């Protein structure tokens, strides 16, 4: 996430085991998990490498997909939310906004993980598992947050999440749809300079 291992570069189990002073088993387990999250690629006979940055074309396709699916899902979610679900969304959004102190890059990557959970919960509450899985398989949040480290990326997203929560609390499907569309469009615009 923090690009301390450059995108596309080789990751050797031996080196990591030595560097972290642990056996190879936990290293292999960790790499397997990261592979599942799309952050590490395993190539037959070659081994592990850090996932490459997404291309501009893939980025555009990803945002197209999100804009087709997530605003509608937000509208459905808003109409189906109960107190417990709303509290869950507020909790995740709250933890994101409390991410002060510590290493900036660690903070940033934990924000990316929480943002992934926040969006996934909304898709879960919308009630269509196939749509939820389709987006989960893209590992959108890991890819987009690797593009750029900037406090603007997180601070502005927090305000947009707040607008979403207001719409959810009111059970207002139209407002939730609009808020999600704006959030995704602004997120895209914030990250576009990464390709310049
Ligand atoms: Zn978000």
């Amino acid at each position: 996430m923090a690009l301390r291992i450059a995108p596309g570069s080789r990751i050797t189990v031996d080196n990591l085991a030595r560097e972290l002073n642990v056996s190879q088993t936990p290293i292999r387990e960790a790499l397997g998990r990261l592979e599942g999250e799309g952050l590490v690629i395993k190539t037959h006979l070659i081994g592990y490498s850090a996932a490459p940055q997404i291309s501009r074309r893939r980025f555009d396709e990803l945002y197209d997909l999100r804009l087709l699916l997530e605003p509608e899902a937000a509208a459905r979610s808003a109409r189906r939310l109960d107190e417990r679900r709303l509290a869950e969304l507020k909790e995740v959004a709250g933890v994101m906004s409390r991410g002060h102190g510590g290493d900036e890059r660690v903070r940033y990557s934990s924000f990316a993980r929480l943002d992934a959970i926040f969006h996934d919960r909304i898709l879960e509450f919308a009630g269509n598992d196939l749509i939820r899985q389709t987006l989960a398989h893209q590992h959108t949040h890991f890819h987009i947050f690797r593009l750029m480290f900037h406090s603007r990326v997180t601070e502005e997203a927090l305000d947009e999440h707040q607008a979403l929560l207001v719409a959810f609390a009111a059970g207002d499907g139209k407002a939730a749809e609009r808020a999600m569309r704006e959030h995704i469009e602004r997120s895209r615009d914030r990250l576009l300079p990464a390709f310049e």
Side-chain angles (χ1 to χ4, degrees):
M1 281 297 305
L3 307 185
R4 288 202 186 102
I5 301 173
S9 66
R10 285 277 308 278
I11 300 172
T12 51
V13 176
D14 270 0
N15 286 352
L16 273 181
R18 224 172 305 125
E19 195 184 320
L20 302 171
N21 199 23
V22 292
S23 72
Q24 293 201 355
T25 311
I27 300 285
R28 287 186 192 284
E29 271 169 22
L31 287 170
R33 278 179 58 189
L34 290 167
E35 191 190 2
E37 291 182 338
L39 286 168
V40 158
I41 308 265
K42 190 182 183 186
T43 313
H44 184 58
L45 297 178
I46 293 176
Y48 297 99
S49 56
Q53 290 280 35
I54 57 167
S55 65
R56 173 62 199 271
R57 184 192 165 128
R58 193 52 184 259
F59 177 84
D60 289 342
E61 289 175 351
L62 207 48
Y63 271 89
D64 263 358
L65 183 69
R66 294 190 72 189
L67 283 167
L68 283 172
L69 299 177
E70 289 194 57
E72 169 65 21
R76 289 188 199 182
S77 227
R79 296 182 191 115
R80 295 163 50 105
L81 281 186
D82 52 25
E83 284 300 319
R84 188 185 56 80
R85 288 170 165 182
L86 183 62
E88 250 186 75
L89 289 177
K90 280 184 177 165
E91 168 66 21
V92 181
V95 177
M96 263 188 271
S97 65
R98 286 196 294 271
H100 297 297
D103 181 285
E104 192 190 345
R105 286 184 175 237
V106 171
R107 216 163 56 225
Y108 193 90
S109 75
S110 88
F111 183 93
R113 284 176 192 277
L114 288 164
D115 193 43
I117 293 170
F118 184 70
H119 285 263
D120 180 66
R121 281 286 182 282
I122 293 169
L123 291 163
E124 180 191 344
F125 298 154
N128 184 319
D129 283 341
L130 189 59
I131 291 179
R132 183 186 178 198
Q133 285 163 20
T134 300
L135 282 163
H137 286 154
Q138 302 309 316
H139 308 295
T140 309
H141 297 79
F142 293 149
H143 286 302
I144 62 179
F145 279 94
R146 288 172 94 218
L147 284 173
M148 195 190 276
F149 284 102
H150 202 295
S151 56
R152 229 188 92 213
V153 172
T154 53
E155 278 156 24
E156 293 184 7
L158 289 175
D159 290 340
E160 293 155 20
H161 287 168
Q162 200 48 46
L164 264 168
L165 288 174
V166 169
F168 285 142
D172 186 338
K174 276 267 166 285
E177 183 176 352
R178 213 179 312 118
M180 183 62 91
R181 183 174 305 284
E182 264 182 33
H183 174 41
I184 296 173
E185 284 173 351
R186 287 185 186 168
S187 159
R188 181 191 59 202
D189 294 346
R190 279 192 289 272
L191 293 164
L192 270 178
F195 294 101
E196 279 163 8

